[in-house]
Amino acid sequence: MPKTNEDVAELLDEMAELLAISGYDPFRVRAYEKAARAVAAYAKDIDGMDDAGILAIPTIGKGMAVRIREYLDTGAMHELEELRAQIPAGMRELIHIPGLGPKKARIIAEELNISTVEELIAAIGEHKLKDIKGLGLKTEENILRGIEQLRQHGDRIRVDIALALAEELMEGLKSCSAVIDIATAGSLRRMQETIGDIDILASSKDANGVMEAFLELEMVGRTIARGDTKCSVLTLRGMQVDLRVVPPEAWGAALIYFTGSKAHNVKIRGLALKKKLTLNEYGLFKLDTKTRVAARTEEVVYKRLGMPWIPPPLREDGGEVEAAAGGTLPALIAEDHLKGDLHTHTNLTDGQAPIEEMVDAAAKRGLEYYAVTDHAEGLPMMRVTREKLLAQRKIIDALQKKYPSMTLLHGMELNIDKAGNVDYDVDTLARFDWLNASVHGLFNLTREEQTKRIIAAMENPHVHAIGHPTGRQIGRRQPIDFDPEAVFAAAVRTGTALEINCFPDRQDLKSDHVRRAREHGVTFTISTDAHSVNHFRNVRYGIAIAQRGWLEPSMVLNCKPLSELKEFVARKRAR
DNA sequence: GCCGTTTTCGGCCCGACTGTTTTCAGTCG
């Protein structure tokens, strides 16, 4: 079985976690974390690389290369196996409890012979922790709360839900006159697909006043921590929100600090030191005189570090700092680059709105083209027929006259069966302008079967794009297991686009797949899969995935004019 | 474990907050 960069990165991350629990030097732990990110972000496939190739990956030294080599050759990393054997599985759950890190977890485990969350709860019930040096009654209470929080919100919250909540909180704070600037930060500003806790940054000359106003907001529940510049609360629904307040002159530096990621901050702070500067949330300072040289905006801080402003979705220490310093940051795609939507539904199948409403709303988006792609009859629940789908053409032709500035495309979302076949014969398919094919069932086939079926669908000259390629639904359904490198290579070979589905519970492809596929030269589509007019606003989530995957508009089919879209379709059909 | 105009050892980003501490370690981001 091929070994992907992601596979290797996952193992290195696991090594880091297990080493941390085992009490190893934190810098060694960080070395593994850094290596994992570097491998995941590396442009070339690690499988089949020679030793020199592996050593060419940034932050990979001799020791790391040997371990990666071992895994590529044998499928295992013996040190990892040993650590796994030494550390009970339950122990690893302990350090995921908020407030409990590797140090305390290890002390507790050793002193009380505890290795599961259940045993920990029991020990706290008997107040056994407070007898350990450095721990006390408060620690016991906090750990219990942490466990409760983990169980309630163990799954991270979807970005759209977090964003709505953050916007509501910020709206509530706007009436506070002490607030000068306010913005989301953290993983939410970086637009990760799921969010652990919400970070909000404000600038003010009266930090206390801002925090008072914040704590009085209706949706704020219990206060976890409260200091002079920072407080953490749980909302009534159990979501953690951190508010940090800084003086307005430090806004830019604070925004960088609070946006993260942690790894990105570590990287640019290291860079600052090399320039005899030090960076914290209050600004960029000269190391010797402590004079502040930049702080007011993010732009001036990055500029003083010798690089242009880095868009937040890139700030993951995935090579963006090096790219910025070298002047090779991607010219990132943005929402207004999109000229069309290539995956949408109507109430002919499972959409909620009639075609007229969908098309009208699409025209108001200012799109150049718009594809109506209802489900084909391979999905039995849809009660649709070939005749009904073909008849939709007449409605589209009539609507086209009403909306002359937007070209309507008649399409379908086909269903990929077990063998990779789709709903209709070639002659029927040829009567449509644009065809997505998607997996809607058989989610548990083997990796080989899934890979084969997707590639077979891409071989079809009338399949122009694969819709929501992994079929995952965040928090509800795992992605299907296919070999991403094989699928990406086949997409390029067959001239088939891969969709970035904007639905917040799909976000499929995900950004690290996008980044890898980009290196293969894959063409992408970014489509809403809208089932109602409201779903058009989900475009922001698809764009976020594309940005996190370093995409430029030239890599996305529906950023191109209609003529180029038609050429793409024609090329595929000529195969 | 990585790395090097501080180069083969000794560093490795920085500060807020908490709880247990009389000066600091752990956790978090």
Side-chain angles (χ1 to χ4, degrees), chain A residues 264-283:
Chain A
H264 175 86
N265 288 351
V266 168
K267 178 65 75 68
I268 60 175
R269 284 170 175 181
L271 212 66
L273 282 179
K274 284 188 186 150
K275 295 178 186 291
K276 303 255 189 282
L277 299 166
T278 176
L279 178 64
N280 60 30
E281 57 263 54
Y282 299 108

Side-chain angles (χ1 to χ4, degrees), chain A residues 310-348:
Chain A
I310 299 177
L314 297 185
R315 298 184 197 172
E316 299 290 353
D317 189 24
E320 76 283 1
V321 175
E322 293 82 353
T328 57
L329 274 181
L332 280 192
I333 187 170
E335 205 167 317
D336 59 9
H337 289 129
L338 289 178
K339 294 186 192 303
D341 198 332
L342 294 171
H343 185 170
T344 72
H345 295 271
T346 76
N347 62 2
L348 177 66

Side-chain angles (χ1 to χ4, degrees), chain A residues 205-251:
Chain A
K205 290 175 176 162
D206 173 19
N208 203 42
V210 176
M211 286 196 287
E212 287 296 323
F214 177 67
L215 294 175
E216 278 168 24
L217 291 178
E218 219 175 285
M219 57 217 115
V220 170
R222 193 170 68 78
T223 304
I224 299 170
R226 164 77 200 266
D228 292 337
T229 67
K230 179 184 165 180
C231 62
S232 297
V233 302
L234 287 181
T235 64
L236 294 177
R237 294 162 91 189
M239 182 88 199
Q240 184 173 329
V241 184
D242 295 343
L243 172 71
R244 179 78 186 261
V245 189
V246 297
E249 61 271 18
W251 174 251

Side-chain angles (χ1 to χ4, degrees), chain A residues 418-430:
Chain A
K418 187 174 180 183
N421 296 314
V422 296
D423 309 63
Y424 300 120
D425 60 90
V426 170
D427 291 339
T428 304
L429 296 178

Side-chain angles (χ1 to χ4, degrees), chain A residues 157 209 243 261 288 298 415 434 471 481 504:
Chain A
I157 194 166
L243 172 71
S261 65
D288 46 6
E298 288 192 326
N415 185 51
W434 174 260
D481 183 19

